[in-house]
Amino acid sequence: FIGATYKGEKYIAAAIRSLQEQTLKDIEIIYVIDGSTDDTEDIIKAMAQYDPRIKYKALKENVGISKARNMGLKMATADIIAVVDDDDLNMPERAEIIYSYLKDKNNAVFYSGMYRASQFLEIADYFSEDGEYMGYKEAVPWEKGKLFAKNEVNPGYGNQYISHATMGITRDLMEKVPYREHLKVGID
């Protein structure tokens, strides 16, 4: 997993815990701290002391999410990459599902559907099977098949048809098509 964070102190610990709880244990958790002036670095540093899977690089200046993610990619050693944001909570099976789909197969990208939970994880956006936005409904954060449904496209999530937060990509493809560092928005 690679991620970039800027002033992510509010959510970063929960995001990292969701990665530490993956059912697939042989993973890397890499964050590039993109010039944060809050306590993000201290939080990640403290968590890294107890988990050797966590690696981080703290930048003195903000270089932007694209460049920071490209730096994270260079730090990674895994053949399969999943990208995370500092406010993402990941299903425990995410790494295992991505790995099982991309290892030893002729696939380069995996994606799935997702629900966007409220900050309190009490409600989530709801889409019909046809992708029609149905409003909000109560959601259990780790309810299998509701918040992470394998191979489901989620049309209507903003203007995104495939959410970056649900993707897994081979290293080969990521290296051939790195993030465009001149873009400030829409990099996913």
Side-chain angles (χ1 to χ4, degrees):
F1 290 92
I2 63 168
T5 180
Y6 176 72
K7 294 185 179 180
E9 71 179 357
K10 187 172 180 180
Y11 302 108
I12 193 70
I16 291 174
R17 275 195 304 274
S18 76
L19 298 173
Q20 290 175 304
E21 295 171 357
Q22 292 294 301
T23 54
L24 180 66
K25 299 300 182 191
D26 186 15
I27 62 170
E28 295 175 307
I29 302 169
I30 299 168
Y31 273 97
V32 175
I33 305 164
D34 192 12
S36 287
T37 56
D38 63 1
D39 290 329
T40 302
E41 182 178 356
D42 293 336
I43 294 165
I44 294 174
K45 183 178 183 178
M47 295 180 85
Q49 288 179 349
Y50 299 99
D51 191 337
R53 300 175 300 172
I54 300 171
K55 302 174 194 173
Y56 70 95
K57 179 176 187 153
L59 306 177
K60 294 186 188 308
E61 294 181 15
N62 182 276
V63 298
I65 192 168
S66 296
K67 189 169 188 173
R69 282 186 179 164
N70 284 337
M71 290 176 171
L73 178 61
K74 289 177 183 171
M75 293 171 62
T77 62
D79 291 330
I80 297 171
I81 306 295
V83 178
V84 292
D85 289 326
D86 54 14
D87 62 349
D88 288 347
L89 297 179
N90 291 271
M91 297 297 295
E93 302 88 359
R94 181 179 179 201
E96 189 172 359
I97 291 169
I98 290 170
Y99 180 75
S100 69
Y101 187 77
L102 294 180
K103 75 171 180 112
D104 302 326
K105 294 185 181 174
N106 196 20
N107 300 315
V109 177
F110 171 90
Y111 64 91
S112 72
M114 66 178 283
Y115 281 99
R116 180 180 52 126
S118 75
Q119 73 181 78
F120 300 109
L121 299 175
E122 294 169 349
I123 57 175
D125 289 331
Y126 174 68
F127 296 87
S128 73
E129 289 182 16
D130 298 326
E132 181 182 343
Y133 182 70
M134 304 298 288
Y136 286 104
K137 72 172 190 172
E138 291 184 11
V140 178
W142 303 115
E143 188 176 335
K144 193 172 183 176
K146 292 292 182 189
L147 298 181
F148 189 93
K150 186 176 178 184
N151 292 332
E152 245 182 72
V153 178
N154 196 356
Y157 180 72
N159 290 321
Q160 296 176 319
Y161 287 90
I162 299 173
S163 174
H164 197 229
T166 68
M167 295 178 73
I169 307 166
T170 62
R171 166 185 285 291
D172 291 344
L173 181 58
M174 287 285 291
E175 288 176 343
K176 288 176 185 169
V177 188
Y179 289 100
R180 290 178 249 159
E181 296 179 7
H182 68 283
L183 295 178
K184 300 297 181 200
V185 295
I187 64 159
D188 299 5

